[in-house]
Amino acid sequence: MNNILIISGHPDLSSSIGNATILQEVAAALPEAEIRRLDWLYPDSKINIQAEQDSLLKADVIVWQFPFSWYSLPGIMKLWLDEVFIHGFAHGSMAKLGGKKLILSFTTGAPQALYTSEGFFGHRVEDYLIPLETTARLCNFELLKPVYTCGISYADRDADKIAQQKTIAREHASRLIGVLNAVTDGYPLS
């Protein structure tokens, strides 16, 4: 098992520090992984359903890489999910994706301290994942532990902040690469 598919749901990778750095690091470490950048592929939001389904069918491990957007998936990724994960393909008695591994890999703008029952949001990050966990269950995915990093904000980016965000994004990528190497039976993809 070594076919890794990464779906990038960032709405504009050209303005990203965290998600762009994560994808660059993963692409360098795992060059055989297929990375589908939804914002680049579908700037008009017209999803090629067949192409997306073909990529999903070839994959053993699927990574959803995205920034938290209103505590969920960004719009382009939600549209992709709505259009690609149809009954008979992703779920139902004739579903074709069962048994694949799914990893949620994401960043948040807010710091970790705000994601506690006592924090500003009143909930842990994991509490916001219930709809995605339910999606994984419906599609019969093996949902692995999420890889996430808090505090990669798009606001107030001076040179020091950008350097700090790149550093923590590289740390995130390292953790994700470690998980991917572990779930592909330890065999590097290159």
Side-chain angles (χ1 to χ4, degrees), residues 6-51:
I6 300 168
I7 304 296
S8 167
H10 195 289
D12 182 11
L13 278 170
S14 65
S15 67
S16 171
I17 302 296
N19 279 260
T21 300
I22 292 165
L23 290 172
Q24 290 166 0
E25 294 289 315
V26 172
L30 305 171
E32 298 297 319
E34 180 182 3
I35 300 175
R36 298 190 63 80
R37 296 165 175 90
L38 298 181
D39 67 320
W40 295 0
L41 290 169
Y42 308 113
D44 59 359
S45 298
K46 293 182 178 153
I47 308 291
N48 181 334
I49 296 168
Q50 190 62 56

Side-chain angles (χ1 to χ4, degrees), residues 78-156:
K78 178 63 167 79
L79 177 65
W80 173 84
L81 185 65
D82 288 345
E83 293 190 3
V84 175
F85 278 60
I86 58 174
H87 184 269
F89 174 74
H91 59 94
S93 62
M94 302 298 287
K96 299 172 175 73
L97 299 179
K100 297 178 185 291
K101 295 177 184 342
L102 176 64
I103 301 168
L104 304 175
S105 174
F106 58 92
T107 59
T108 73
Q112 180 75 48
L114 299 182
Y115 288 103
T116 65
S117 56
E118 297 80 29
F120 180 79
F121 298 128
H123 298 282
R124 301 171 310 126
V125 168
E126 292 81 5
D127 296 339
Y128 294 101
L129 301 182
I130 292 171
L132 302 177
E133 292 168 357
T134 304
T135 299
R137 183 181 304 264
L138 178 67
C139 297
N140 200 27
F141 284 135
E142 179 185 342
L143 182 62
L144 303 181
K145 185 177 177 184
V147 177
Y148 65 89
T149 300
C150 297
I152 300 184
S153 176
Y154 54 86
D156 301 323

Side-chain angles (χ1 to χ4, degrees), residues 159-173:
D160 289 338
K161 184 85 167 186
I162 289 171
Q164 178 187 25
Q165 288 183 359
K166 285 184 178 183
T167 297
I168 60 177
R170 285 187 196 102
E171 291 167 359
H172 177 114

